[in-house]
Amino acid sequence: MNHLIAPSILAANFANLNDDILMLNQSQADWIHVDVMDGVFVPNISFGFPVINAVKNIAQKPLDVHLMIVEPDKYLEQFAAHGAYMLTVHYEACIHLHSTIQKIKALGCKAGVALNPHTPIALLEDILEDIDMVLIMSVNPGFGGQAFIPNTYKKIKQLRAMASQRNPHLLIQIDGGVNVTNSLSLLQAGANVLVAGNAIFSDAHPKSIISTIKNLNPNTQIA
Ligand code: DX5
Ligand code: ZN
């Protein structure tokens, strides 16, 4: 499978979100990554349904919704109604994760599970066949613009090995500190969905950053 690029609108210009979404529509972005933060699960608050609704009305790409909230079950139906294609919940926020995954699928969405940097891959052992994607956090969730945590590479390799027989189509998404410099090695470790916020929106030419990441070839040998 060719890898996917999902720009995170957390780093977009909220005073002119319209232009940034139109830019993404015209870019090689595959999905639009939507970070929802509740100020409880993470020490930050981002945005909620009115903003997601506005994005949905102009976006021509699937919405990849990353829920950094406690008790996500309460809101799954609303996120599905607001156009979520992928709904990703945090392992650490779900007491009955299997049940939450089944609810997401019953709503017609793809189901993702996110792991914080300290959460081991092995904890996915008994849920691996039930999910479409694992989001490996490569920073502590809550803020854009943080430095990438190198231990992520080990986790990607472990997960790819674990999934190779049991869920070969599993998407492995990396979120936090992704940029043009580390993207190739993340893909080569086994990731196939890259989220990037600041690397894209802080650049003067966001569309060209998106296409640079999108057009990387993981079969390239690193010298
Ligand atoms: C962090 C969010 C990320 C964030 C990534 O909690 O989940 O999606 O927007 O931003 P960068 O790419 O700037 O690290
Ligand atoms: Zn995210």
Side-chain angles (χ1 to χ4, degrees), residues 8 33-35 66 68 135 137 175 195:
S8 167
H33 187 81
V34 176
D35 286 306
H66 177 191
M68 287 162 274
L135 185 167
M137 286 300 314
D175 186 6
V195 174

Side-chain angles (χ1 to χ4, degrees), residues 12 20 24 29 46 63 83 91 106-107 116 120-121 123 127 133 148 151-152 155 160 167 204 217:
D20 282 345
L24 294 178
S46 57
L63 300 188
Y91 177 91
L107 289 165
N116 277 338
I121 293 295
L123 291 170
I127 199 96
M133 187 174 83
F148 177 87
N151 188 54
T152 307
K155 295 175 83 171
R160 192 48 83 196
N167 189 348
N217 179 359

Side-chain angles (χ1 to χ4, degrees), residues 8-11 33 35 37 42 66 68 135 137 139-146 175-178 195-199:
S8 167
I9 56 167
L10 190 65
H33 187 81
D35 286 306
M37 304 179 183
V42 286
H66 177 191
M68 287 162 274
L135 185 167
M137 286 300 314
V139 298
N140 284 291
F143 302 92
Q146 302 180 76
D175 186 6
V178 173
V195 174
N198 277 273

Side-chain angles (χ1 to χ4, degrees), residues 66-161:
H66 177 191
L67 297 181
M68 287 162 274
I69 64 174
V70 297
E71 299 188 71
D73 288 44
K74 283 184 181 173
Y75 302 103
L76 295 176
E77 209 174 320
Q78 278 190 80
F79 283 110
H82 282 76
Y85 165 77
M86 175 73 70
L87 265 178
T88 298
V89 293
H90 264 264
Y91 177 91
E92 303 84 5
C94 296
I95 297 170
H96 300 289
L97 182 60
H98 182 271
S99 163
T100 303
I101 297 300
Q102 304 311 320
K103 284 180 191 158
I104 292 172
K105 290 196 203 167
L107 289 165
C109 299
K110 302 276 184 202
V113 173
L115 301 182
N116 277 338
H118 73 279
T119 304
I121 293 295
L123 291 170
L124 297 173
E125 179 70 36
D126 291 305
I127 199 96
L128 198 61
E129 282 93 345
D130 297 290
I131 53 184
D132 298 296
M133 187 174 83
V134 175
L135 185 167
I136 300 177
M137 286 300 314
S138 39
V139 298
N140 284 291
F143 302 92
Q146 302 180 76
F148 177 87
I149 298 171
N151 188 54
T152 307
Y153 289 110
K154 182 192 85 183
K155 295 175 83 171
I156 299 170
K157 289 176 191 159
Q158 279 177 353
L159 179 57
R160 192 48 83 196

Side-chain angles (χ1 to χ4, degrees), residues 156-185:
I156 299 170
K157 289 176 191 159
Q158 279 177 353
L159 179 57
R160 192 48 83 196
M162 192 201 270
S164 65
Q165 298 293 320
R166 294 172 51 197
N167 189 348
H169 300 297
L170 181 74
L171 297 171
I172 300 182
Q173 181 175 61
I174 310 305
D175 186 6
V178 173
N179 55 44
V180 287
T181 308
N182 58 20
S183 286
L184 184 61
S185 47

